[in-house]
Amino acid sequence: MIGSKRARLLPTAEDASVTQLELFFDLVLVFAFTMVTDLAAHDTSAKNMLRAGLVLAVMWWLWIAYSWLGNVIRADEGIARVAMFVAMGGGFLAALTIPEAFRDLSGGWFGPLVFAIAYLIVRLVHLGMFLLASAEDSQLRNQVLKWSLGSITIGTSLLVIAAMTTGTVQIVLWIAAIAGDMGWTLLAGEDWRVNSPSHFSERYGLIIIVALGESIVSIGIGVAGLPISWPIAVGSMLGLAVSGLLWWAYFDVAALSVEHELRRAEGERQIKIARNCYTFWHFPMIAGIILLSLGLKKVLYYVGDESAHTLHDALYGIPLFSLYGGVALYLIALVGFKHYATRNVTVPRLVAAVVLLALIPAACALPALGALALLCGVLVLLIVWETMRYAQPRDEIRHATHG
């Protein structure tokens, strides 16, 4: 037991699974992803897309902090349970304030400052719990202190300062806060703890499902209140297929391969896999899925709302790039995720990403539904090719996992 005199904290066991409280905590991220998608969909200008990306990065950093904490101590025991609920409150308040993260709306509290303070509270609760968890582990305690000196200071103080500014200065401060926080995490050392590789990989696999769930929700939101029709039905099935194919690309082999390496690795190598493959490479995956969600939402709006569009109208500009570029980003991040752990490059996925980017000009000439069908077709070809071409190693990896 860790620090039993200070608080009833239980270490996470090696064979632990994700707790129900952690799943409950993730509901805050479900809402945050929806708010980020809505923020981007409200104004598809490049500036607003940048703002949405920055907000997503901050909410991601909020979540990953607790993914590491929950792998050291059980999130549903003792004071850790209370801390998780407090963090949920702060995270939910930050998510509620996403529309005002950069610009205050008339009436009520000052939105940008509320967002920054809510984020600060979540980070301080995380730091306090990690200090308690490392009370009898001097190596981990030194790592936490070293990390907090830069990460907490840079990541939170710059956001608070940014809340009091506007325009370009505000954007620059947000970028500096995020880049400084992530950069310091890379430089602060590898003396962290991964008590349960299975818990860690499961935690990140579930957040991928959460993000993919947002892409499915976006399909429904795009046609909310509209009568069902064949274009809506076809568009919805194509969108669902794309989300399902992305699920396959992650869970069929890639996630298992990296989890195997995380289990086998020891010491510094294990920490680096956990940090780089999961904390860092998963962020562009999540960003790619959110971009896809925006694209799907726009496609379904095009095919469903006959008062504003016809079936011949093409998707173009940032929504089209989000649709194709989001999937391309996801595939590239998957390659990086697997390569860091296994040293193997999944070439077909890189080829598919390049093909999707090259097809964007052609997709501009297609109806929105046709552009979605073309995207789905490329992913079907990729998955079928990989399943057939790598049948034997695929079977070995999956058999080893369940054997």
Side-chain angles (χ1 to χ4, degrees):
M1 185 174 293
I2 300 175
S4 57
K5 293 183 179 180
R6 295 178 176 83
R8 187 164 166 261
L9 299 179
L10 297 181
T12 299
E14 185 176 355
D15 60 349
S17 297
V18 175
T19 65
Q20 292 180 345
L21 182 54
E22 287 173 299
L23 294 175
F24 190 47
F25 181 88
D26 289 354
L27 294 179
V28 172
L29 263 291
V30 173
F31 179 63
F33 290 161
T34 299
M35 294 296 284
V36 170
T37 303
D38 289 346
L39 176 64
H42 179 71
D43 174 14
T44 55
S45 66
K47 183 177 182 180
N48 194 57
M49 293 294 290
L50 174 60
R51 286 174 172 170
L54 292 173
V55 171
L56 179 63
V58 168
M59 296 306 295
W60 172 252
W61 216 245
L62 178 155
W63 181 85
I64 66 98
Y66 287 84
S67 71
W68 284 84
L69 178 63
N71 201 261
V72 174
I73 56 172
R74 284 187 59 92
D76 58 349
E77 291 291 340
I79 194 173
R81 176 185 291 191
V82 177
M84 289 291 286
F85 278 111
V86 173
M88 280 185 68
F92 192 59
L93 186 59
L96 283 170
T97 321
I98 283 175
E100 298 183 77
F102 290 89
R103 183 175 57 188
D104 183 49
L105 301 179
S106 59
W109 292 344
F110 186 66
L113 190 57
V114 171
F115 180 91
I117 291 176
Y119 178 69
L120 173 62
I121 290 171
V122 177
R123 293 294 298 272
L124 289 177
V125 169
H126 169 260
L127 175 60
M129 290 308 302
F130 242 125
L131 289 174
L132 283 176
S134 61
E136 298 176 8
D137 185 339
S138 60
Q139 183 174 318
L140 179 59
R141 170 63 66 88
N142 290 336
Q143 174 66 76
V144 171
L145 290 173
K146 184 166 57 174
W147 169 77
S148 65
L149 286 175
S151 183
I152 297 293
T153 302
I154 297 171
T156 57
S157 62
L158 288 181
L159 281 183
V160 173
I161 296 171
M164 311 307 294
T165 63
T166 58
T168 302
V169 173
Q170 186 183 53
I171 295 290
V172 170
L173 286 172
W174 268 72
I175 293 174
I178 295 166
D181 206 345
M182 292 185 175
W184 183 255
T185 299
L186 274 175
L187 299 172
E190 285 80 39
D191 289 333
W192 296 101
R193 297 286 182 266
V194 176
N195 286 359
S196 173
S198 59
H199 172 276
F200 202 82
S201 60
E202 182 186 4
R203 195 85 171 88
Y204 281 80
L206 289 171
I207 205 64
I208 291 291
I209 292 178
V210 165
L212 289 172
E214 167 58 23
S215 70
I216 295 173
V217 168
S218 295
I219 296 171
I221 292 176
V223 293
L226 299 175
I228 190 68
S229 61
W230 77 261
I232 290 178
V234 171
S236 298
M237 292 301 101
L238 286 172
L240 182 61
V242 168
S243 296
L245 290 163
L246 296 189
W247 175 93
W248 186 303
Y250 180 90
F251 287 100
D252 187 56
V253 170
L256 299 177
S257 300
V258 177
E259 182 181 351
H260 291 171
E261 294 300 323
L262 183 65
R263 287 174 179 274
R264 283 195 288 261
E266 296 179 350
E268 184 177 306
R269 172 64 178 165
Q270 186 180 62
I271 298 303
K272 285 184 175 180
I273 291 175
R275 183 189 63 197
N276 297 344
C277 291
Y278 291 95
T279 296
F280 283 100
W281 273 117
H282 272 64
F283 176 61
M285 287 186 220
I286 298 297
I289 295 172
I290 298 302
L291 286 171
L292 169 67
S293 301
L294 171 62
L296 289 175
K297 187 174 183 178
K298 291 295 185 179
V299 169
L300 269 296
Y301 174 70
Y302 269 50
V303 303
D305 190 357
E306 296 179 355
S307 65
H309 297 280
T310 71
L311 290 179
H312 300 290
D313 289 346
L315 196 66
Y316 60 90
I318 288 179
L320 178 63
F321 182 81
S322 296
L323 186 68
Y324 277 64
V327 174
L329 178 61
Y330 178 86
L331 293 175
I332 292 170
L334 263 178
V335 173
F337 164 67
K338 185 179 177 183
H339 171 260
Y340 186 87
T342 67
R343 304 306 184 193
N344 294 323
V345 177
T346 313
V347 175
R349 297 187 176 189
L350 291 178
V351 172
V354 172
V355 168
L356 286 174
L357 294 176
L359 285 174
I360 291 177
C364 288
L366 295 174
L369 197 59
L372 179 57
L374 180 59
L375 170 64
C376 186
V378 172
L379 287 176
V380 168
L381 289 175
L382 170 65
I383 296 302
V384 170
W385 167 260
E386 286 187 345
T387 302
M388 296 176 63
R389 176 67 177 81
Y390 304 112
Q392 182 176 345
R394 173 179 177 269
D395 182 67
E396 291 173 354
I397 291 171
R398 295 182 62 79
H399 178 74
T401 301
H402 298 291

